[in-house]
């Protein structure tokens, strides 16, 4: 089976790499044009559904045009091994950081995956970063857990 990794890059995109030998070597590295992040980068999480048919990615998107601050935690899904990504869920528009996801089974009607996300967040916003109450860099104030379908 194919191993797909997802990594930060020092621009506003994520990078995917692919292996068909359990991660011994990677035969392709490509920029994920549909996955944005802040310019300084930030950890993101990626999981697959039980059938291996869909990938899910969570990470901070920042805000256009600058994408400077770690904010706008979002979940994306891909049905084509990461070639393209669609918005699955906006988690929070506020300051946020590292995340981890867990597949939580199917919805009650069995048509959708349930995805749990654990993530860092803060009440600071880009508008507040210039104030004395919020630091210039992101410092998490809370850890949150939410489940989405």
């Amino acid at each position: 089976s194919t191993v797909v990794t997802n990594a930060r890059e020092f621009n506003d995109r994520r990078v995917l790499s692919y292996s068909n030998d359990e991660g011994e070597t990677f035969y392709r590295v490509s920029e994920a044009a549909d996955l944005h992040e802040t310019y300084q980068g930030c950890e993101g999480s990626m999981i697959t559904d039980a059938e291996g048919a869909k990938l899910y990615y969570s990470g901070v998107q920042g805000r256009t045009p600058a994408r400077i601050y770690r904010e706008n935690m979002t979940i994306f899904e891909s049905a084509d091994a990461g070639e393209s990504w669609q918005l699955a869920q906006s988690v929070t528009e506020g300051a946020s950081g590292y995340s981890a996801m867990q597949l939580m089974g199917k919805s009650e009607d069995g048509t959708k995956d349930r995805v749990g996300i654990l993530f860092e967040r803060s009440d600071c916003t880009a508008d507040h970063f210039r104030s004395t109450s919020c630091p210039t860099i992101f410092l998490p104030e809370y850890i949150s857990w939410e489940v989405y379908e």
Side-chain angles (χ1 to χ4, degrees), residues 62-120:
R63 293 184 198 273
T64 58
R67 296 192 191 278
I68 295 172
Y69 302 111
R70 290 182 174 182
E71 57 188 347
N72 195 14
M73 177 63 69
T74 308
I75 300 173
F76 288 87
E77 65 180 48
S78 174
D80 57 11
E83 295 295 326
S84 63
W85 295 87
Q86 294 73 42
L87 175 68
Q89 182 69 48
S90 176
V91 178
T92 180
E93 291 183 357
S96 44
Y98 285 25
S99 61
M101 290 187 295
Q102 173 67 44
L103 195 62
M104 306 295 294
K106 293 283 188 184
S107 59
E108 282 190 33
D109 64 7
T111 61
K112 294 183 177 181
D113 290 321
R114 295 179 67 234
V115 176
I117 180 172
L118 183 75
F119 63 101
E120 302 171 321

Side-chain angles (χ1 to χ4, degrees), residues 11-12 37-40 61-69:
N11 67 25
D12 71 337
E37 67 176 352
T38 60
Y39 275 99
Q40 78 269 24
Q61 301 301 295
R63 293 184 198 273
T64 58
R67 296 192 191 278
I68 295 172
Y69 302 111

